[in-house]
Amino acid sequence: MAKVRTEVAGNVWKVEVVVGQMVAAGDVLVIIESMKMEIPVEAPASGIVAAIGVAVGEPVAEGAFIAEVG
């Protein structure tokens, strides 16, 4: 299982996946809004989304848990 973390602080603008969804490496999982920019958080590997740790509108710090793919 790969734990996905954000590289920037900001607010969750959009969650693109649901638990149980199959994703490929590079697929966008979540979009973070930081300093009026939309930053995609991508899947590091192919697999099934096992968990999502954020919700739309939620503030996140750098390094925050976003999702788990395995």
Side-chain angles (χ1 to χ4, degrees):
M1 293 276 179
K3 292 190 188 275
V4 182
R5 300 187 180 276
T6 181
E7 296 179 3
V8 297
N11 290 308
V12 177
W13 184 68
K14 192 171 187 182
V15 177
E16 296 279 350
V17 295
V18 295
V19 172
Q21 182 175 335
M22 182 70 158
V23 294
D27 283 356
V28 175
L29 303 174
V30 172
I31 299 174
I32 304 292
E33 181 186 30
S34 180
M35 296 175 26
K36 299 192 181 197
M37 293 175 45
E38 296 170 11
I39 318 269
V41 178
E42 300 174 345
S46 297
I48 296 173
V49 178
I52 299 172
V54 295
V56 173
E58 181 179 331
V60 292
E62 182 178 340
F65 173 76
I66 297 296
E68 188 168 9
V69 177

